[in-house]
Amino acid sequence: MTGTDTATALERATLDKAARENFPVAPFFLPRAWRTDLMAVYGFARLVDDIGDGDLAPGGADARILGVTPEQADDRLAVLDAFETDLRRVFDGSPHHPLLRRLQPTVRRRGLTPEPFLGLIAANRQDQLVTRYETYDDLRAYCELSANPVGRLVLAVTGTETPERVRRSDAICTALQIVEHLQDVAEDLGRDRIYLPAQDMKRFHVQESDLAVPSAGASVRALVAFECQRARDLLNEGAPLVGSVHGRLKLLLAGFVAGGRAAVRAIAAADHDVLPGPPRPGKLQLLREAGTTLRGEG
């Protein structure tokens, strides 16, 4: 396989993960220019998460493209540092990674700034160094880096950002991150990460060992239900963002809110037992939630 073939395969493998997200990334009903730019942003966000989670394609091709030595290819912090260096080339040079080359025209066309991209890299650095969160406020501060930049980039790409919309978007994105953490409790524990605040675990008498079993007990389910309510409240706080825009963007943002609400309902339908695997909503539930959100009933 040539270098060009390898780069194309890496790019495609990352972008194909969009279909597995809780929310629509760049649905067909959007203008083509928006879809192109949103997929470029998604490619960046997905790749930086894959670096942080150790989920890159086998063989170290991404690390080689970024100039990381074979000896450091498994060092996530080293790869994140190289990725940040390549990101900076997006703004003042010629990036090496194909997903960053894809991103560069979007950055120029939409006048995007480095800050949200740097926030996502910082979140993944934090994941290598911080594996537990003491309080809910600590977790929300992490979400400021790990999730909220994505919503801000969507608003920037579509030219619709205002301070109030950013505030609503941040609430939605933090909620979506919390929901994803709830779905992935078992998977995260396998990576020695726990995103359930320690204070809340103590309140519900949950020990870490209670998360390492095939099925959740009553205390874990009560804790998950409590965190689900927090996510639901954040989604409700952010939902007026949908009514503040028009046309196809309204449909996209309704999809984000609906994805979060449907995921919360799926967790509830599993009696808040997330340990056997992530509860996922069906398409019908997603459509119902989207309709409710668009009507402003949620």
Side-chain angles (χ1 to χ4, degrees), residues 154-198:
V154 170
L155 295 177
V157 163
T158 57
T160 54
E161 57 185 332
T162 66
E164 177 63 11
R165 285 176 177 152
V166 167
R167 186 179 75 80
R168 300 286 188 183
S169 171
D170 285 353
I172 293 168
C173 290
T174 292
L176 292 174
Q177 181 75 91
I178 289 171
V179 170
E180 183 177 340
H181 288 158
L182 294 175
Q183 290 175 313
D184 294 341
V185 167
E187 180 182 334
D188 289 334
L189 186 64
R191 295 185 167 117
D192 191 31
R193 297 179 191 164
I194 295 177
Y195 295 102
L196 297 165

Side-chain angles (χ1 to χ4, degrees), residues 85-134:
T85 298
D86 209 29
L87 169 68
R88 294 186 185 278
R89 296 187 189 105
V90 169
F91 294 89
D92 59 14
S94 299
H96 298 165
H97 198 283
L99 286 167
L100 293 182
R101 291 200 299 270
R102 172 187 281 259
L103 180 65
Q104 190 169 47
T106 293
V107 163
R108 292 174 175 172
R109 186 161 46 239
R110 305 297 180 182
L112 304 181
T113 63
E115 284 72 24
F117 301 103
L118 291 171
L120 294 171
I121 293 174
N124 280 275
R125 279 204 188 94
Q126 187 165 315
D127 276 335
Q128 313 314 309
L129 304 170
V130 180
T131 60
R132 307 290 190 276
Y133 290 86
E134 181 64 27

Side-chain angles (χ1 to χ4, degrees), residues 12 15 35 40 44 67 77 96 99 123 132 142 164 170 196 201 237 243 249 255 259 269 279 282 284 286 298:
R12 189 73 264 153
L15 296 177
R35 294 202 310 271
F44 172 90
L77 286 172
H96 298 165
L99 286 167
R132 307 290 190 276
Y142 167 74
E164 177 63 11
D170 285 353
L196 297 165
M201 291 177 65
E237 179 185 338
L249 178 58
L284 183 58
L286 283 167

Side-chain angles (χ1 to χ4, degrees), residues 53-71:
D53 290 341
D55 286 340
L56 293 175
D62 291 283
R64 287 197 301 274
I65 289 172
L66 293 169
V68 178
T69 64
E71 294 75 21

